Amino acid sequence: MTPTTPWSPNSFTPADPAYFKVKLTTWALTWGLIFLASLVPGVLLASGASVPPWLAIIPALLVLVIALLILRILRRQVRALGYLEREEDFVVSSGVMWRKQLVIPYGRMQYVEVNSGPLERRYGLCQLTLNTAGAGATAHVYGLPEAQGHALRERLVAAGEEKML
C-alpha cells in the first residue's frame, strides 16, 4: 500500500485490457438486439402493412448513430477504470464524461465480494464489490484478473479488520 498522499491518474492500477472485450461483446449483443427491434417497422412496410416510410428508416438510423457514439467512447471508459490502495483507505476511479473517485476508509468496509459473470469468466476476469457502513457507498472494481481479484479481496479484508473502529 502506498502512503496517504495526493494521487495522480498514473498511480491507479488500471483494469485489465481484456475487460474491453467483455464490454465490446456486451455492447454488440445489446445494440444488435435494439437494432433488430428498430427494423420491425421496415419489415412491416415490406410486408405490405400501412406504415409511413419515415417510420421504417428513422428508428434504425437513430439506433445506429447512438450505438456508434457509445462504441466510440467504450475503450476510454475501460481505460478510466482503476483503483488505488493507500495506507488508510481505498480509492476507486471511473468515468470518462462524469468522472468519479470514491474513497473508502478501510475501517468503514462491511464486506468485500468477488463476482464474475459468464463473459468475465471467459476472459479470466472478475469484479470486486466493496460494501461500506455508510448508505449508498458501494464501490465496484471492474476488470480484475481473477487471481488479482481474490488477492485484493484478502488484502482489503485484512486491512478492514486491522482498522476496524
Side-chain angles (χ1 to χ4, degrees):
M1 292 181 216
T2 60
T4 305
T5 57
W7 56 83
S8 72
N10 295 334
S11 60
F12 283 83
T13 302
D16 191 279
Y19 188 62
F20 176 71
K21 296 175 185 175
V22 172
K23 294 291 282 182
L24 187 62
T25 304
T26 304
W27 171 87
L29 290 171
T30 302
W31 286 99
L33 290 173
I34 293 171
F35 184 70
L36 285 175
S38 73
L39 294 177
V40 169
V43 170
L44 291 174
L45 181 65
S47 68
S50 176
V51 176
W54 64 268
L55 190 59
I57 297 170
I58 299 295
L61 285 177
L62 189 61
V63 166
L64 197 59
V65 167
I66 292 170
L68 291 175
L69 286 173
I70 291 172
L71 178 62
R72 184 175 168 93
I73 65 168
L74 201 59
R75 188 175 300 275
R76 287 182 58 206
Q77 286 177 332
V78 171
R79 272 190 265 151
L81 299 173
Y83 69 90
L84 177 63
E85 293 177 81
R86 299 192 311 170
E87 194 171 307
E88 298 293 323
D89 50 32
F90 186 74
V91 184
V92 179
S93 177
S94 63
V96 175
M97 294 177 70
W98 289 272
R99 293 187 180 134
K100 178 179 173 182
Q101 287 185 337
L102 186 60
V103 179
I104 300 173
Y106 292 125
R108 303 281 296 172
M109 283 191 275
Q110 292 290 314
Y111 62 94
V112 183
E113 60 185 355
V114 177
N115 304 312
S116 62
L119 282 175
E120 290 170 320
R121 281 193 306 273
R122 164 102 167 74
Y123 294 104
L125 301 174
C126 65
Q127 71 172 291
L128 194 84
T129 305
L130 294 108
N131 293 288
T132 65
T138 300
H140 300 277
V141 181
Y142 298 99
L144 293 171
E146 200 164 339
Q148 182 181 347
H150 289 289
L152 179 59
R153 178 190 177 279
E154 294 305 317
R155 285 195 308 273
L156 291 175
V157 168
E161 288 173 352
E162 180 183 310
K163 304 284 185 192
M164 199 176 298
L165 299 175

